[in-house]
Amino acid sequence: MFEIEQKVMDESRQGEAYEGVLDTLSAPNKRFYIESYGCQMNFSDSEIIASILQSSGFGSTRDVEQANLILLNTCSIREKAEQTIRKRLTEFKKIKRSNSSLLIGVLGCMAERLKSKLLEEEKLVDIVVGPDAYRTLPQLIEEAETGEKAVNVLLSREETYADIAPVRINSNGITAFVSIMRGCNNMCTFCVVPFTRGRERSRDHASIVDECKDLFDRGFKEVTLLGQNVDSYYWVDPVSNHAVDFAMLLEKVAKINPALRVRFSTSHPKDITEKVLQTMKAYDNICKYIHLPLQSGSTRILQLMNRTYTREWYLAKVKRIREVMPDCAISSDIIAGFCTEDDQDHLDTLDVMRNSKYEYSYMFMYSERPGTLAAKRYKDDVPMEIKKKRLEEIVSLQNQLSLETNKLDIGKKVEVLIEGNSKKNEKQWMGRNSQNKVVVFDKTDKALQPGDYVWVEVKDCTQGTLLGNMVS
Ligand code: SAH
Ligand code: SF4
Ligand code: F3S
């Protein structure tokens, strides 16, 4: 079954199961190697970690054999995410055997969830650091160098790493993630994130705008504002008492320059406001794309999930988005086989998908996470075989919807930001349009380069890609 899940994620544009390795920084005698798993927040955190380590004299390496310190920035969202990490740790055992001074650190959500238990379970791990404790990493490394096991999993109500300039890793130099808030207060019953990331807190808007300005000055053309629930962004200036909400922040970033595209992720359906929709509409450079996770199309299941909206309420939100911005793409997250889900609940999910006409979705089987409200309150009672079958049906419907919405673009002219070569053919460029759809087209103009905007007429499509020709 996991193959399906993996396949879905491979096709995803968020790169949830993506493994990133750091570009080489300067090379002093101590070098770290880092791999990141999970959501974009984790990838963004790895850039903060790289910055902290660089400031304390570490260089980086992409070659694990050259490293004095191996770091895994981990995810706990589903059981499989944790299994992947444990497998990776087993692979590091061999390297550690041949290099006894090598230190191995587990960071991120799995570190936070398991805390020092991780040291008992995974004997080769030397350092365990939770998402709010990265500033202490240099001291923890020093401690571990003396042979002690080092742990800091304290969660914070204030930490936003606002003053740390991230070192852009594995960057294409065109698109970047900017973290605007941390944590989550929502308590969806299936979700481990509130436990691994702590309370929600927003980052000072001035530091966000400065970071985006700096990126633009360095040639970046697109920023994605990141948070578990960006629509509840709220910053009150401690001196002036002036408050900035998400719509205001979006506007501030959009105003930096019309040539800087602005995206954001993720919106909780209950929090995305009319003001945000109107701000999106008002600025061409705010991309017409909303990730609006549904989770389930059954009101009964949504209630058990504590999502705080009903199926009708969600559909009305989708309708409103399409009224305000007919060209806005909407994507979703869907969980198959949550506790007590029956055939009718599943049909309700398929029905909302059809009605919402998602451009794409990230689709998962429910995976019970220890400590969550669902694990405490409900039985994980949908058999694996049924979860698998329902997920297959969801995936198959989404494939159909993606193809249908892509077909509607044939004949349209779309503005594309070139990100690089097409993976399949170096003679073609790959970029995205405002709706976040991947667009591939021939390199007919030699003067073009990544970071340029071009107009492309869509001639054909697959389920995941628009294919076209450049037009002047
Ligand atoms: N903050 C984001 C979600 C972050 S987790 C939001 O609220 O939209 C990303 C997705 O993983 C979730 O939307 C959900 O679909 C899925 N997910 C979370 N916990 C899960 C679990 N226990 N089993 C299966 N999928 C899960
Ligand atoms: Fe998890 Fe819900 Fe918070 Fe998203 S909004 S991170 S699904 S608790
Ligand atoms: Fe995973 Fe933590 Fe993100 S659990 S999805 S890395 S917030």
Side-chain angles (χ1 to χ4, degrees), residues 104-384:
I104 296 185
V106 176
L107 318 177
C109 290
M110 197 174 164
E112 191 63 50
R113 192 179 84 74
L114 292 166
K115 305 186 170 56
S116 50
K117 255 205 294 190
L118 195 59
L119 297 172
E120 292 154 32
E121 290 171 20
E122 300 287 346
K123 296 272 185 272
L124 83 163
V125 172
D126 306 289
I127 304 168
V128 175
V129 193
D132 286 346
Y134 297 144
R135 282 183 204 268
T136 63
L137 201 48
Q139 294 93 287
L140 293 168
I141 295 166
E142 268 179 35
E143 220 173 282
E145 278 168 346
T146 68
E148 295 290 311
K149 298 278 180 187
V151 183
N152 188 348
V153 288
L154 283 177
L155 286 172
S156 155
R157 280 173 180 259
E158 286 92 34
E159 181 62 275
T160 58
Y161 300 109
D163 57 315
I164 295 181
V167 172
R168 299 292 159 187
I169 56 186
N170 248 6
S171 167
N172 60 7
I174 312 295
T175 59
F177 295 128
V178 176
S179 181
I180 65 164
M181 60 202 296
R182 300 180 71 81
C184 181
N185 287 354
N186 277 329
M187 286 296 185
C188 302
T189 57
F190 53 79
C191 187
V192 77
V193 172
F195 303 95
T196 61
R197 294 259 162 187
R199 304 294 290 170
E200 182 184 289
R201 67 221 93 123
S202 296
R203 173 179 170 192
D204 180 350
H205 69 96
S207 78
I208 298 170
V209 173
D210 284 350
E211 188 176 327
C212 295
K213 268 190 192 144
D214 176 60
L215 284 163
F216 186 72
D217 291 343
R218 285 160 48 205
F220 283 79
K221 294 288 174 59
E222 183 181 295
V223 290
T224 303
L225 308 179
L226 282 186
Q228 294 298 350
N229 189 11
V230 288
D231 296 278
S232 60
Y233 175 87
Y234 197 72
W235 169 265
V236 183
D237 191 281
V239 182
S240 67
N241 257 347
H242 173 66
V244 177
D245 64 16
F246 184 57
M248 292 155 87
L249 178 71
L250 259 184
E251 182 165 46
K252 283 176 195 289
V253 178
K255 277 183 169 167
I256 291 173
N257 196 298
L260 180 69
R261 272 187 175 177
V262 188
R263 298 189 186 277
F264 55 89
S265 186
T266 295
S267 295
H268 191 300
K270 77 174 163 63
D271 292 321
I272 188 161
T273 59
E274 182 70 21
K275 192 173 165 198
V276 166
L277 300 184
Q278 296 300 339
T279 308
M280 288 178 75
K281 185 182 172 173
Y283 290 88
D284 281 346
N285 58 327
I286 303 182
C287 290
K288 302 299 176 277
Y289 167 58
I290 299 176
H291 184 55
L292 196 72
L294 168 69
Q295 313 300 1
S296 169
S298 152
T299 296
R300 187 182 70 84
I301 296 291
L302 285 168
Q303 234 159 20
L304 294 183
M305 288 176 161
N306 192 30
R307 288 292 285 184
T308 73
Y309 51 85
T310 62
R311 148 201 188 79
E312 289 74 24
W313 196 92
Y314 181 93
L315 284 169
K317 190 60 94 177
V318 169
K319 186 159 167 261
R320 184 63 194 147
I321 293 170
R322 305 242 192 245
E323 272 166 14
V324 177
M325 293 170 288
D327 60 340
C328 189
I330 302 179
S331 63
S332 190
D333 289 348
I334 293 163
I335 298 177
F338 186 66
C339 314
T340 78
E341 186 188 76
D342 63 20
D343 285 342
Q344 186 54 49
D345 297 316
H346 171 59
L347 291 177
D348 286 351
T349 297
L350 297 176
D351 189 58
V352 176
M353 289 175 72
R354 269 188 220 103
N355 267 291
S356 305
K357 297 193 175 65
Y358 297 126
E359 266 73 6
Y360 26 86
S361 290
Y362 306 92
M363 298 157 280
F364 317 99
M365 282 191 296
Y366 173 58
S367 164
E368 186 178 83
R369 308 309 296 129
T372 55
L373 292 173
K376 286 184 191 152
R377 287 184 193 161
Y378 319 122
K379 202 162 159 243
D380 180 13
D381 58 355
V382 178
M384 190 47 127

Side-chain angles (χ1 to χ4, degrees), residues 422 428-431 438-442 456 465-469:
S422 150
Q428 292 185 316
W429 288 122
M430 170 272 174
V438 173
V439 185
V440 168
F441 57 99
D442 285 344
V456 173
T465 311
L466 301 179
L467 309 157
N469 295 333

